[in-house]
Amino acid sequence: MALRIAVYGSLRDGMGNHHWHLKNRAKKLSTEVVNVPFNMIDMGGFPGLVMDEVNHNIRIEVYEVSMPVYKGVERLEGYPRFYDRQAIETSAGTADLYFLNQSSEGLESRYSGYA
């Protein structure tokens, strides 16, 4: 079974964490916009997704990864304490999308919308 992740922030090609985790270690399957029940917010140095009652368009890149790369991304995302994940449908198949674990106190009220 192929492991796929959908990335939207610092793991995208050309961004700060891409070369540490995905460059030369993962196969890029697509770049696309998905309409999902998450809203992107500005965390200061990086964006995060929070669950929302309405869908928003989010630009993602989908990668096929090995288990060691998948586990490395989980460590980077602080899964499951800081980020959680949800499977979404993409043009490349089902992929895991990481979003902010909203059990962090006051998360939504501390950050403005991220465009």
Side-chain angles (χ1 to χ4, degrees):
M1 179 174 124
L3 295 169
R4 293 184 196 97
I5 58 171
V7 301
Y8 56 86
S10 69
L11 284 166
R12 285 187 337 212
D13 192 11
M15 302 302 284
N17 284 316
H18 181 80
H19 73 281
W20 292 111
H21 295 278
L22 299 177
K23 187 175 184 177
N24 302 322
R25 295 183 180 155
K27 179 181 177 184
K28 187 176 188 178
L29 302 175
S30 73
T31 299
E32 61 191 85
V33 174
V34 291
N35 190 257
V36 290
F38 296 98
N39 190 22
M40 192 172 293
I41 62 171
D42 186 348
M43 297 294 292
F46 55 93
L49 295 179
V50 292
M51 288 188 139
D52 201 348
E53 294 177 2
V54 297
N55 285 9
H56 297 270
N57 289 332
I58 306 294
R59 179 172 293 283
I60 62 166
E61 293 174 358
V62 180
Y63 290 88
E64 185 173 289
V65 298
S66 65
M67 184 57 78
V69 170
Y70 189 87
K71 292 296 185 185
V73 169
E74 283 191 336
R75 282 189 298 279
L76 172 71
E77 301 292 16
Y79 173 81
R81 296 191 90 184
F82 191 59
Y83 278 86
D84 203 344
R85 68 175 182 243
Q86 179 172 315
I88 63 166
E89 290 305 316
T90 74
S91 66
T94 303
D96 286 338
L97 177 72
Y98 289 85
F99 63 96
L100 291 162
N101 185 332
Q102 289 175 264
S103 65
S104 300
E105 188 175 317
L107 178 68
E108 288 183 81
S109 64
R110 289 185 291 176
Y111 302 99
S112 61
Y114 185 86

